[in-house]
Amino acid sequence: MDIIPLADKKEVIAELAQLHHEEWKHLNPSLTLEGRAEAITEAAGREGIPSIFIAVSGNQLVGSAALVENDMDTKPDLTPWLAAVYVKETFRHQGVATYLIARCEAEAARSNAKTWYLYTEFASRLYEKLGWLHLERSEYKGVTVDVMYKNITS
């Protein structure tokens, strides 16, 4: 399995948009599948912020993770953010998310970030194992989320 910039394999954007849409449309019901694909395309930088990295096995898309300027419009002062961490169900519990997150963290460090943030509905335990700390628990877009942070060591 390889972790590569989405910019190097743009032919999977439609599939990735569909996966993200199915996973997170409840957080933004007005965002169409086409709108999501456009947003992914715009954020698909090869490096820096924003950038999206994907895990691939041969030609198969396995998962994704993104480094973005902001992922929570209620917290505009916090930046950058880990976002869109997704692994296809058949590849879960194999360390794929950990590799994707590490790649994003390396990019955040290269961008001189000292701290980065995320929010999650269900994966707090995974992030805790990777050294993330809880900032707060809050309601966001109708769901309860954990807002977490991690100091970056370069």
Side-chain angles (χ1 to χ4, degrees):
M1 183 180 26
D2 295 307
I3 307 295
I4 62 171
L6 176 59
D8 291 348
K9 196 167 179 65
K10 289 186 175 180
E11 64 270 21
V12 302
I13 288 176
E15 179 185 3
L16 187 60
Q18 181 68 45
L19 293 168
H20 285 191
H21 196 67
E22 290 169 8
E23 187 75 12
W24 296 302
K25 66 183 168 195
H26 67 285
L27 294 172
N28 194 351
S30 65
L31 182 60
T32 64
L33 178 58
E34 295 76 21
R36 192 173 299 275
E38 287 174 19
I40 288 171
T41 300
E42 289 174 16
R46 192 167 269 106
E47 61 184 25
I49 303 167
S51 51
I52 299 174
F53 299 95
I54 57 171
V56 292
S57 179
N59 281 329
Q60 183 178 14
L61 174 65
V62 172
S64 70
L67 176 63
V68 298
E69 192 72 33
N70 189 285
D71 196 34
M72 240 180 144
D73 55 16
T74 57
K75 304 214 175 291
D77 54 318
L78 303 181
T79 190
W81 289 70
L82 173 64
V85 177
Y86 179 85
V87 176
K88 286 182 176 177
E89 204 165 321
T90 55
F91 292 94
R92 292 181 185 167
H93 308 291
Q94 297 176 34
V96 177
T98 300
Y99 288 120
L100 285 162
I101 294 164
R103 179 62 185 90
C104 287
E105 184 168 355
E107 197 59 37
R110 267 184 18 96
S111 299
N112 297 315
K114 303 295 181 224
T115 303
W116 63 328
Y117 304 87
L118 67 81
Y119 76 88
T120 181
E121 287 179 77
F122 308 113
S124 296
R125 292 181 69 180
L126 166 67
Y127 296 113
E128 288 168 355
K129 289 178 187 176
L130 297 176
W132 291 78
L133 303 169
H134 287 265
L135 183 63
E136 68 181 41
R137 187 171 193 100
S138 63
E139 291 296 315
Y140 184 62
K141 296 188 176 187
V143 298
T144 301
V145 299
D146 289 320
V147 181
M148 303 178 79
Y149 71 96
K150 184 177 182 188
N151 293 323
I152 296 175
T153 55
S154 44

